[in-house]
């Protein structure tokens, strides 16, 4: 029996997340940007102003290269799938563990995995791992020799770098008591191995077990075998002590030099098809504030290095929405901000995967007629009790529509990073996490907001989708109703009696429309879809899994004061969508 025919469970799962709440930029003026309507090419209809997503015409999104589209799995037309196609994961130092995890994700409909990455940390000789020794002496001191050392650093990612990492005379590979390290001596000034000012930095890398595989090599190998894509986490600076939402840029030169060595090692030892690119884990809100110029400088520097050393690879960056009225960012600033992020691409394909903020309470998923409804209990733990309209500038669909307009023409690709957890309450705690378990129903509502994104990934598989918690793991809940239809946009033409629905898993759907006519009568009508376009997303440069259906409900009228309507669909697998609320212009 296929999983979408099995009984559903209402149990919740647990999940974890570390909250990063940036401060230091002024509260923006609350501005609600009216997003322009788009023509639906196939039927030339105007989409409603307040639908959950404005459907974009061809040309409204940047052209996606063959490399960028290669990450979508080849799904059969009759096969239902959940719209999330990529996941952040934790890497293992065992091949079998990594292969099984990627195999499970592929069977789940995913084709992409991403590791988060760690920071290049300032250190002292005393803080160098005690196991990194050469003949009983500190490995960093031995590598430095008589050179003038400015600073010491560690990059302890548990890796096991091989001999090709050794490039300069003072570099060395150290194995001691079953642990493996690489010690790099980086020139403080100038390229190559010799510093023009006579000063150097020392970086101790790795810390993996000598009997273990290198996690990044293992994941890239597994991705290659399974026809998947792996994005490795990039090095990043540590946070500033005074302003922890900003990176410490006091050693930008060292970070740049180490980035070169990090990428050169991947180019020499990990250049396999499964290595699709790299992920920038230095984060920032999606804003045009110059406060975050230091973050953009890191993106630009590292993107230049990726494009030079591994020119066929891509990069992912994941800024986050902050839609809260109290200290958040407007859609206008978001539109301008994503354009600034896109301009750091430096020639490579840059995928901007916006965090939807639903796991941290910074973003909101509500529809056109729900501005006056109370926020859900999860969001209330962050923003307090109140209505969606009072607590948030706009729903996430407005932010993603603004972002789509912002990246248009830049060459960057708009992705979505769906937060697969929820703010913690007394009822959904998960171990010692700052975040709690979420529900399949909440994920469905989040997905309704993400129709303009070219690809949807999620943070993260471990442990948000796999945590047992007090109920069934989230991935198991999804399997039980993987064929759920997800509506991302609609169009309703009362005078023509025409309804168009865009979304996922819409094949064979019956559409139920609810509205109020000019006489004040509440009406409801269920009609089988007359037309289906299974390639709608591909044709319009959007998510290739998006479909559209058309329905004729007969000419009617709509109340001028109650011009809201709602739509649900039931597809051929017997699954019903979350109700979609919209408003006519």
């Amino acid at each position: 029996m296929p999983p979408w025919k099995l009984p559903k469970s209402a149990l919740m799962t647990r999940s974890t997340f570390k909250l990063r709440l940036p401060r230091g930029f002024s509260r923006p003026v609350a501005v609600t940007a009216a997003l322009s309507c788009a023509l639906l090419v196939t039927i030339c209809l105007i989409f409603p102003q307040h639908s959950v997503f404005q459907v974009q015409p061809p040309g409204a999104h940047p052209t996606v290269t063959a490399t960028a589209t290669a990450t979508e799995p080849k799904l059969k037309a009759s096969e239902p799938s959940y719209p999330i196609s990529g996941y952040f994961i934790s890497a293992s130092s065992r091949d079998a563990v990594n292969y099984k995890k990627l195999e499970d994700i592929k069977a789940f409909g995913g084709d992409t995995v991403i590791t988060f990455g760690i920071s290049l940390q300032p250190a002292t000789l005393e803080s160098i791992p005690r196991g990194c020794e050469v003949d009983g002496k500190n490995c960093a001191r031995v590598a430095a020799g008589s050179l003038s050392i400015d600073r010491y650093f560690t990059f302890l990612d548990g890796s096991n770098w091989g001999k090709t990492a050794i490039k300069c005379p003072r570099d060395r590979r150290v194995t001691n008591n079953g642990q493996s390290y690489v010690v790099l001596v980086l020139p403080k000034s100038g390229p190559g191995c010799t510093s023009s000012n006579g000063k150097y930095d020392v970086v101790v890398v790795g810390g993996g077990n000598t009997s273990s595989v290198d996690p990044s090599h293992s994941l890239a190998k597994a991705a290659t075998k399974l026809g998947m894509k792996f994005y490795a986490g990039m090095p990043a600076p540590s946070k500033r002590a005074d302003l922890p939402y900003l990176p410490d840029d006091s050693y930008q030169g060292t970070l740049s030099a180490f980035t070169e060595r990090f990428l050169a090692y991947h180019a020499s030892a990990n250049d396999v098809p499964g290595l699709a690119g790299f992920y920038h884990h230095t984060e920032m809100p999606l804003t045009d504030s110059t406060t975050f110029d230091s973050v953009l400088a890191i993106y630009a520097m590292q993107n230049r290095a990726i494009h030079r050393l591994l020119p066929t690879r891509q990069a992912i960056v994941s800024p986050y929405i902050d839609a809260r009225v109290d200290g958040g960012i407007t859609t206008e600033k978001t539109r301008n901000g994503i354009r600034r992020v896109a301009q750091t691409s430096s020639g490579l394909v840059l995928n901007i995967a916006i965090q939807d903020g639903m796991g941290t309470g910074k973003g909101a998923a509500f529809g056109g007629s729900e501005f006056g409804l109370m926020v859900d209990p999860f969001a209330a733990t962050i923003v307090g009790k109140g209505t969606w309209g009072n607590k948030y500038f706009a729903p996430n669909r407005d932010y993603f529509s603004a972002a789509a307009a912002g990246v248009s023409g830049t060459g960057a690709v708009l992705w979505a990073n769906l937060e697969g957890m929820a703010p913690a309450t007394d009822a959904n705690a998960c171990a010692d996490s700052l975040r709690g378990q979420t529900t399949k129903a909440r994920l469905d509502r989040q997905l309704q907001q993400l129709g303009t994104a070219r690809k949807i990934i999620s943070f993260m598989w471990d442990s948000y989708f796999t945590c047992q918690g007090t109920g069934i793991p989230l991935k198991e809940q999804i399997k039980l109703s993987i064929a759920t239809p997800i509506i991302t946009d609609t169009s309703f033409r009362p005078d023509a009696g025409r309804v168009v629905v865009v979304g996922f898993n819409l094949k064979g759907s019956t559409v139920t429309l609810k509205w109020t006519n000019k006489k004040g009568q509440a009406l409801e009508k269920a009609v089988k879809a007359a037309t289906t376009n299974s390639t709608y997303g591909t044709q319009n440069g959007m998510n290739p899994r998006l479909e559209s259906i058309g329905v004729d409900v007969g000419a009617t009228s709509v109340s001028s004061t109650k011009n809201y309507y709602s739509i649900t669909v039931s597809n051929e697998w017997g699954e019903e969508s979350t109700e979609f609320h919209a408003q006519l212009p």
Side-chain angles (χ1 to χ4, degrees):
M1 180 180 295
W4 55 87
K5 295 293 187 181
L6 297 175
K8 299 181 184 177
S9 170
L11 294 176
M12 296 164 57
T13 62
R14 293 182 175 180
S15 45
T16 58
F17 184 77
K18 183 177 181 182
L19 179 61
R20 290 171 289 277
L21 295 174
R23 291 291 184 266
F25 53 94
S26 61
R27 172 180 172 179
V29 177
V31 178
T32 301
L35 301 176
S36 60
C37 295
L39 292 177
L40 182 61
V41 175
T42 55
I43 59 171
C44 300
L45 294 177
I46 301 296
F47 273 74
Q49 181 180 359
H50 295 288
S51 62
V52 169
F53 265 124
Q54 301 304 321
V55 177
Q56 305 294 320
H61 296 270
T63 299
V64 182
T65 65
T67 303
T69 60
T71 58
E72 285 299 328
K74 302 296 184 181
L75 296 170
K76 297 178 181 178
S78 60
E79 183 180 353
S81 65
Y82 208 58
I84 302 172
S85 59
Y87 297 88
F88 285 85
I89 62 169
S90 297
S92 171
S93 57
R94 291 189 293 167
D95 280 335
V97 173
N98 288 327
Y99 189 88
K100 180 63 165 62
K101 185 177 295 185
L102 267 62
E103 192 175 41
D104 289 348
I105 289 172
K106 183 174 183 178
F108 198 64
D111 62 356
T112 301
V113 293
I114 307 153
T115 52
F116 198 68
I118 70 164
S119 296
L120 179 67
Q121 295 280 0
T124 63
L125 280 173
E126 291 72 25
S127 66
I128 298 297
R130 294 182 63 86
C132 191
E133 294 182 342
V134 178
D135 297 328
K137 298 177 182 178
N138 184 299
C139 63
R141 170 69 77 183
V142 172
S146 60
L147 297 177
S148 177
I149 303 301
D150 187 48
R151 297 180 73 175
Y152 294 91
F153 298 87
T154 58
F155 188 75
L156 303 177
D157 61 347
S159 63
N160 190 5
W161 286 16
K163 294 180 180 179
T164 58
I166 307 303
K167 297 291 185 183
C168 295
R170 304 297 307 189
D171 296 343
R172 60 182 58 220
R173 194 165 186 264
V174 177
T175 57
N176 188 43
N177 292 329
Q179 298 299 118
S180 171
Y181 300 92
V182 166
V183 186
L184 305 179
V185 181
L186 306 178
K188 196 71 179 175
S189 177
C193 298
T194 303
S195 177
S196 60
N197 66 3
K199 292 185 177 296
Y200 297 82
D201 291 321
V202 176
V203 182
V204 176
V205 180
N209 193 295
T210 54
S211 64
S212 300
V213 299
D214 185 280
S216 289
H217 290 183
S218 178
L219 285 171
K221 182 172 66 174
T224 300
K225 288 182 179 179
L226 290 165
M228 299 175 69
K229 303 297 180 182
F230 164 55
Y231 291 83
M234 285 289 287
S238 58
K239 301 296 184 182
R240 285 173 52 170
D242 57 338
L243 299 172
Y245 52 86
L246 291 177
D248 180 357
D249 59 1
S250 66
Y251 56 97
Q252 182 81 342
T254 307
L255 177 65
S256 178
F258 180 70
T259 294
E260 295 274 337
R261 299 295 296 274
F262 174 89
L263 293 170
Y265 178 65
H266 275 284
S268 64
N270 205 22
D271 188 10
V272 296
L275 180 67
F278 299 89
Y279 170 70
H280 297 284
H281 81 261
T282 300
E283 292 183 358
M284 62 174 284
L286 201 51
T287 177
D288 58 3
S289 170
T290 57
T291 300
F292 297 93
D293 281 357
S294 58
V295 179
L296 297 176
I298 293 169
Y299 296 162
M301 176 271 289
Q302 293 191 324
N303 285 336
R304 284 194 297 271
I306 295 168
H307 193 50
R308 183 172 65 257
L309 293 167
L310 290 151
T312 63
R313 277 17 184 236
Q314 304 179 13
I316 304 172
V317 62
S318 190
Y320 55 87
I321 287 172
D322 192 344
R324 295 170 297 177
V325 169
D326 184 11
I329 299 159
T330 63
T331 55
E332 180 181 7
K333 288 181 176 293
T334 291
R335 183 178 65 251
N336 297 334
I338 197 171
R339 198 165 191 87
R340 297 189 74 208
V341 174
Q343 289 166 350
T344 69
S345 64
S346 305
L348 55 65
V349 174
L350 182 62
N351 304 296
I352 306 178
I354 303 174
Q355 298 177 45
D356 75 348
M358 288 291 288
T360 59
K362 294 194 284 285
F366 58 95
S369 62
E370 298 176 309
F371 283 81
L373 298 183
M374 298 296 288
V375 301
D376 66 31
F378 296 123
T381 65
I382 305 297
V383 298
K385 294 181 178 179
T387 65
W388 292 111
N390 287 335
K391 293 297 183 178
Y392 295 94
F393 288 132
N396 282 346
R397 57 93 180 173
D398 285 2
Y399 282 88
F400 274 86
S401 292
V407 300
S408 179
T410 66
V413 184
L414 179 62
W415 287 11
N417 183 359
L418 180 148
E419 293 181 355
M421 66 285 189
T425 69
D426 293 339
N428 76 329
C430 183
D432 58 353
S433 170
L434 295 176
R435 294 291 159 241
Q437 59 185 171
T438 190
T439 66
K440 164 68 162 51
R442 200 168 194 258
L443 290 184
D444 290 349
R445 288 184 64 85
Q446 288 173 251
L447 288 165
Q448 284 188 325
Q449 307 276 310
L450 308 180
T452 54
R454 177 63 179 72
K455 184 179 181 70
I456 301 171
I457 60 176
S458 185
F459 189 84
M460 65 183 283
W461 185 262
D462 315 288
S463 59
Y464 311 145
F465 284 79
T466 58
C467 177
Q468 180 68 35
T470 58
I472 300 175
L474 188 58
K475 67 169 186 166
E476 300 301 328
Q477 294 185 47
I478 293 171
K479 283 181 181 179
L480 294 176
S481 54
I482 200 167
T484 300
I486 306 291
I487 303 172
T488 62
D489 208 348
T490 63
S491 169
F492 178 28
R493 281 278 304 276
D495 55 342
R498 181 70 170 170
V499 174
V500 175
V501 179
V502 176
F504 304 95
N505 292 334
L506 299 182
K507 184 180 179 184
S509 286
T510 294
V511 175
T512 300
L513 172 69
K514 297 179 183 179
W515 77 103
T516 302
N517 66 12
K518 286 185 177 180
K519 297 180 180 180
Q521 297 172 310
L523 302 177
E524 178 177 330
K525 193 167 187 178
V527 182
K528 185 79 173 179
T531 60
T532 301
N533 183 358
S534 61
T535 61
Y536 175 86
T538 301
Q539 290 175 356
N540 290 282
M542 301 169 74
N543 191 316
R545 300 188 184 192
L546 280 175
E547 304 169 313
S548 69
I549 54 176
V551 177
D552 295 310
V553 297
T556 184
S557 64
V558 175
S559 168
S560 59
T561 58
K562 295 182 179 180
N563 59 344
Y564 294 103
Y565 65 95
S566 72
I567 287 177
T568 56
V569 301
S570 177
N571 62 20
E572 70 172 25
W573 298 285
E575 295 284 346
E576 186 171 297
S577 70
T578 298
E579 191 169 18
F580 180 94
H581 299 267
Q583 183 181 17
L584 290 170

